[in-house]
Amino acid sequence: QAKKAGKKTYRFYSCIKYDGDFDPLTMEMELHKAIKQNELFLHYQPKVNLKTGKMFGAEALLRWNHPKWGMIPPSKFIPIAEESGLIIPIGEWVLRQACAQNKRWQEKGCLPMVISVNLSGRQFSYAGIVSTVEKVLKETGLEPQYLELEITESMTMDIEHTIPTLHDLKKLGVLISIDDFGTGFSSLNYLKQFPVDTLKIDQSFVRELLNNNHDETIVKTIISMAHHLQVKVVAEGIETREQLVFLQQHLCDEGQGHFFSKSVTAEELNGEWARIEQIVPKFGLSQDLHE
Ligand code: C2E
Ligand code: MG
Ligand code: MG
Ligand code: MG
């Protein structure tokens, strides 16, 4: 009996020792229980208007606090949820939580803001995605203009599905954003046919912004292309004031990153409105620098 227990313990430890190399089958089983046992929750990361310096929205980011393993990053468990199909119920749960939370903020008298929700590939290609979004909006009472869906370029490869699905989602009135933009292979020819509202410049380009000429060029090109297509641009992963000022000078519309705020709980987000306004250099100032 003791030996058996010992073996079990060993097996368990072998999961955590290898720094996040969780056994996928075990993780899948644990993930099944995670929703029911309230182990999943959302964090929110502010999105800031770079002209006004004001927060105008937030991205919902999924967190899993496992009773034994502790916090597991989404990069570890989302692929397993995706592979197993669990992403469909989990994704719907995220959508409902995020919409309900945004509605609650509005009812409390907060400034109305847009909540962004990440969709995974399997969720986006799932035939029920449009009706799920419609159902969740109805159930939570959130008006569609306060919900943004983030998809990635790699999810848009199946053009026969992507174009009608995006149009159906737009008909509901929600906003669409292309996340991690620049890391995939979206054809510019298709891009112009996608009814998207925002391109989100991947953080890998923002990271080296002031050390790498190529990244400067890429960022400037994405901003100008987006504006020509009448699409807004968000930069993700802004960590320094220099990166922020560069993006302001090049007329990037919105930003997100640790410079403003890391992802926080729903309660903590309330305090971020005032704090962020204090730390963002006013656009006029950076314009002066430019002249
Ligand atoms: P993403 O959607 O591109 O989200 C941005 C990630 O960058 C988040 O990591 C965020 O915490 C992190 N980040 C934000 N600002 C900074 C910064 O200034 N510096 C650095 N180094 N990192 C920053 P997180 O929360 O670990 O999420 C990772 C990815 O997992 C997300 O990338 C998204 O693809 C996926 N994900 C998260 N939540 C969900 C979800 O609810 N559903 C789905 N399908 N995917 C999700
Ligand atoms: Mg995202
Ligand atoms: Mg991203
Ligand atoms: Mg990313």
Side-chain angles (χ1 to χ4, degrees), residues 19 66 86-87 126 188 223 230 257 266 274:
D19 190 32
H66 186 275
L86 276 171
I87 196 68
Y126 162 63
L188 295 180
I223 295 172
Q230 279 157 348

Side-chain angles (χ1 to χ4, degrees), residues 146-197:
Y146 299 118
L147 172 65
E148 177 176 69
L149 301 174
E150 295 193 358
I151 61 170
T152 61
E153 286 166 274
S154 59
M155 292 158 51
T156 64
M157 301 307 246
D158 174 8
I159 223 70
E160 307 280 301
H161 172 76
T162 299
I163 294 184
T165 304
L166 289 179
H167 278 102
D168 288 347
L169 289 170
K170 284 308 297 175
K171 267 187 233 145
L172 295 180
V174 303
L175 302 166
I176 310 278
S177 164
I178 302 203
D179 203 352
D180 304 338
F181 188 75
T183 60
F185 295 95
S186 43
S187 146
L188 295 180
N189 189 38
Y190 286 135
L191 190 63
K192 72 171 191 210
Q193 300 179 51
F194 293 165
V196 299
D197 302 279

Side-chain angles (χ1 to χ4, degrees), residues 11 22-32 69 80:
R11 200 179 136 62
F22 297 94
D23 164 30
L25 266 178
T26 312
M27 187 178 272
E28 188 186 323
M29 272 155 46
E30 293 298 304
L31 207 44
H32 264 286
W69 297 336
I80 289 167

Side-chain angles (χ1 to χ4, degrees), residues 124-144:
F124 184 68
S125 56
Y126 162 63
I129 183 62
V130 178
S131 57
T132 300
V133 172
E134 188 174 20
K135 177 180 72 179
V136 168
L137 286 169
K138 208 172 201 171
E139 283 172 9
T140 58
L142 185 72
E143 292 168 89

